[in-house]
Amino acid sequence: QELAKSNLNLNTHVLPNPVDDQWLVWSENRDQLLSGVVEKLPQLRKPFVLWTGRTERFHKRPEMAFEVATRLPQHQFVMVLNETDAEYAEELRRIRPSNVLLLPPFSHPRFLAIMSLATAFLSTGSRQYEGFPNVFLQAGVLGIPVVSAGCDFGILSDTGIGRSFDDRVPAMAEFLNQICTFPEKREQMICGVREKTLGSFGSSAVAAKLWDLLSPFESEQIAHQTP
């Protein structure tokens, strides 16, 4: 949108990504999808905080997740690492807090199944580099509270599924602790969130937004074609 304006002097609209209906299907089939996985990883049997991202210091910032985990030794963290930097990945394994389980990437269906088991989702993506995080939509549909370092994109505030904290690690840890310690607070956060997420980001909602944008142009074309 910025490039279209600066390079072509065009005013444009940005449509959000839509919810994929398969996410709920994978969540509902999690026992089948995770057959053999949970048995090998007993940490997934109990409450845990989920994180996922690439091994990037500047963007996904896994070390910030380590900082949060260090402040909450009573809670289990599961971090799914996409190793894009082998040297940094090895460093992360060396400095990993004891309450953090590092896992390699899973297939998309399996990851959604794991996500549906999580008590909360932690995002440490940098606002400067983050795009549109589908994982926030997935959290909204699955009812998984989100604690975000700095990104919202209107998803968290519109649905109520989470909050962003301007990279304030102590505040992130405190809010995450509240979610993980008090089930009633978690239930209060996720109440009605699936409906709100589908209402704003479901495929029908996004298609309606596209139709609203295109309708004036269609009407204009019809007017020009009328004798």
Side-chain angles (χ1 to χ4, degrees):
Q1 187 177 38
E2 292 174 356
L3 289 174
K5 183 62 179 176
S6 62
N7 294 344
L8 303 174
N9 197 31
L10 293 176
N11 294 317
T12 60
H13 296 270
V14 176
L15 287 173
N17 292 354
V19 167
D20 188 336
D21 294 336
Q22 282 293 108
W23 297 343
L24 281 175
V25 175
W26 294 333
S27 171
E28 292 165 357
N29 294 333
R30 66 189 182 191
D31 290 343
Q32 178 182 352
L33 287 168
L34 296 178
S35 177
V37 176
V38 175
E39 289 76 11
K40 295 179 182 178
L41 301 171
Q43 294 91 336
L44 301 181
R45 296 177 182 270
K46 298 179 181 180
F48 64 90
V49 177
L50 180 64
W51 179 98
T52 188
R54 296 179 295 274
T55 50
E56 297 170 341
R57 300 177 190 272
F58 67 97
H59 181 185
K60 296 300 183 179
R61 305 183 297 183
E63 284 184 76
M64 181 182 288
F66 280 7
E67 291 181 52
V68 175
T70 300
R71 290 174 176 270
L72 300 173
Q74 71 275 30
H75 297 304
Q76 177 69 55
F77 287 72
V78 174
M79 296 177 61
V80 179
L81 282 178
N82 180 6
E83 294 191 15
T84 53
D85 182 330
E87 183 177 343
Y88 184 37
E90 182 58 35
E91 179 184 338
L92 289 171
R93 283 189 280 270
R94 289 198 305 270
I95 65 174
R96 173 189 62 86
S98 59
N99 61 328
V100 172
L101 173 67
L102 297 180
L103 296 177
F106 293 87
S107 66
H108 201 185
R110 273 191 166 181
F111 176 78
L112 263 292
I114 290 174
M115 188 176 188
S116 69
L117 296 173
T119 303
F121 182 81
L122 174 63
S123 171
T124 54
S126 167
R127 183 185 302 168
Q128 183 178 357
Y129 298 102
E130 191 65 78
F132 185 95
N134 273 341
V135 70
F136 288 3
L137 295 184
Q138 293 163 352
V141 171
L142 300 180
I144 310 299
V146 176
V147 176
S148 172
C151 301
D152 186 314
F153 291 94
I155 304 173
L156 305 185
S157 52
D158 284 355
T159 65
I161 195 60
R163 287 175 53 189
S164 59
F165 289 87
D166 295 322
D167 290 350
R168 292 177 289 119
V169 169
M172 292 163 62
E174 174 57 30
F175 190 64
L176 197 53
N177 184 52
Q178 293 289 313
I179 295 171
C180 295
T181 304
F182 301 104
E184 63 276 11
K185 185 174 182 66
R186 184 180 187 275
E187 289 301 315
Q188 184 181 22
M189 279 190 67
I190 67 176
C191 182
V193 161
R194 177 178 296 179
E195 292 73 19
K196 291 180 181 177
T197 303
L198 291 173
S200 297
F201 302 100
S203 55
S204 296
V206 175
K209 292 176 183 177
L210 176 60
W211 178 252
D212 289 342
L213 290 172
L214 295 179
S215 293
F217 296 101
E218 183 185 36
S219 300
E220 183 178 342
Q221 286 182 339
I222 292 175
H224 285 306
Q225 293 171 3
T226 302

